[in-house]
Amino acid sequence: MTRRTWTVVAAGLLAFALGVLGATLPVPLVALGPGPTYNTLGEVDGTAVVDVDGLPVYPASGHLNMTTVSVIDRLTLFSVLGFWASENGRVIPREAVFPSGMSQQEIQQQNTAQFVSSEANAESAALAELGIPATVIVTELVPGTPVAEILQPGDELLAVAGQPVDSVAAVTAALADTAAGETVGVTYRREGQEHEARVELAASPDRRHGLLGIIPGGIARGGDITISLGGIGGPSAGLIFALSVVDKLTPGDLTDGRFIAGTGTIGPTGVVGKIDGVPFKMHAAREAGATVFLVPAENCAEAVATAPDGLQLVRVETLHDAIAALEALSRGTPAPSC
């Protein structure tokens, strides 16, 4: 062969090798994009997403869709280039989604725990909003607080500081006049047995009164609320779950037949928190047919900058805000906007 021929052959072999590596060699990146969206007023695989038993239930139409973000792992160099060129995709370091210090099983367990917590908080927030008496339980304990050596997740709270509790808000109200370091009485039930204990309150930088050291949750008395949506992780469906519970437990139609979608974490008292992936969730919702999207207040700036055409953004800080906004839309009056 001539030198020119060898050069061409070598270049071809190099290009082939680079092509094979680009198509097969994994890179430490993942791609994010729009994920599935589910109507929480309906069914998935024949099972109601939100099911209520033992309480009066009212028919609901329209959509209250929770939204998700898809995560694509095991990317190659070529696939990364494709996602970089896509308008609805974003590439980020794999470590941000799959921390190297955690196993795949631990990550899955964490995501599942967050989702279960969002379900419990959604029920608690909905019951508090509707004023339905609840059995208050310990859902989580704050590590390092004195109460963590006394109470356990699943314990039923009967009284705090001498005041009976029948809602999550009642726990906070019972501590309103206390201070860190003070000792208060706690009455609780575990495995059918009632117990009393004295608990030293901890300090918290975001409140003046003493901190009991638990995250309480509410379960409807005389009824059962079940939220079923397998294979989904994370806490960001809390707001939509809570709205679905409210819609099913109240007369009338909260959506007024509209296709409403949204996102946001929710605390047991109804406070809505920010989430990640708003642009992807909005695009997935719009593609599914949504015309209104509920946005946590802290995500508004990002939402305005990336919202698809035809999607009305509604700003919410609490569950009560979201309900009031949907009622305003039904009346034809303005709702808070981002």
Side-chain angles (χ1 to χ4, degrees):
M1 290 186 184
T2 65
R3 178 177 297 181
R4 180 183 180 87
T5 301
W6 274 113
T7 301
V8 172
V9 171
L13 290 174
L14 179 60
F16 176 76
L18 291 175
V20 171
L21 290 175
T24 60
L25 186 66
V27 293
L29 301 168
V30 296
L32 306 181
T37 176
Y38 303 96
N39 182 16
T40 60
L41 295 176
E43 297 182 347
V44 173
D45 296 331
T47 300
V49 176
V50 176
D51 186 57
V52 180
D53 184 39
L55 295 170
V57 178
Y58 302 88
S61 64
H63 285 68
L64 276 172
N65 276 47
M66 61 158 289
T67 49
T68 65
V69 174
S70 66
V71 179
I72 300 176
D73 194 13
R74 304 189 183 283
L75 300 181
T76 64
L77 179 60
F78 286 172
S79 61
V80 166
L81 294 175
F83 282 110
W84 269 332
S86 170
E87 294 183 357
N88 289 330
R90 187 171 76 206
V91 178
I92 64 172
R94 189 178 190 277
E95 180 73 16
V97 179
F98 303 106
S100 57
M102 299 177 66
S103 68
Q104 190 70 32
Q105 182 179 8
E106 289 172 331
I107 294 170
Q108 182 62 42
Q109 288 174 342
Q110 182 185 69
N111 288 336
T112 300
Q114 290 176 336
F115 190 76
V116 170
S117 178
S118 76
E119 294 174 339
N121 286 347
E123 181 176 348
S124 299
L127 296 177
E129 176 68 25
L130 298 175
I132 296 175
T135 296
V136 181
I137 63 169
V138 177
T139 60
E140 295 182 53
L141 296 165
V142 178
T145 56
V147 77
E149 298 181 1
I150 299 171
L151 297 181
Q152 299 176 4
D155 287 346
E156 178 187 344
L157 285 181
L158 304 177
V160 174
Q163 299 184 35
V165 294
D166 64 356
S167 69
V168 172
V171 177
T172 302
L175 299 172
D177 297 325
T178 64
E182 184 178 338
T183 299
V184 300
V186 174
T187 305
Y188 62 99
R189 182 179 290 120
R190 180 185 298 163
E191 297 179 352
Q193 298 294 316
E194 190 171 313
H195 305 271
E196 293 187 1
R198 302 291 297 178
V199 177
E200 180 183 345
L201 300 178
S204 174
D206 62 351
R207 66 191 70 186
R208 293 184 178 180
H209 60 73
L211 175 71
L212 184 57
I214 69 165
I215 298 177
I219 300 175
R221 294 182 179 175
D224 185 33
I225 299 173
T226 303
I227 299 175
S228 304
L229 195 56
I232 304 297
S236 65
L239 170 61
I240 298 299
F241 283 151
L243 285 171
S244 183
V245 173
V246 169
D247 201 5
K248 293 198 171 190
L249 292 180
T250 53
D253 192 349
L254 193 57
T255 67
D256 196 28
R258 289 181 172 85
F259 194 134
I260 311 292
T263 190
T265 66
I266 198 162
T269 59
V271 176
V272 175
K274 68 179 296 186
I275 53 83
D276 294 325
V278 165
F280 306 125
K281 294 181 176 184
M282 291 190 302
H283 280 84
R286 187 68 187 110
E287 289 179 4
T291 57
V292 175
F293 195 89
L294 304 177
V295 184
E298 294 181 77
N299 288 112
C300 266
E302 179 185 19
V304 169
T306 56
D309 293 337
L311 193 64
Q312 180 180 357
L313 305 183
V314 174
R315 179 181 183 273
V316 297
E317 294 189 28
T318 65
L319 173 61
H320 185 78
D321 288 345
I323 295 169
L326 293 181
E327 290 174 343
L329 292 176
S330 296
R331 293 192 302 268
T333 56
S337 179
C338 285

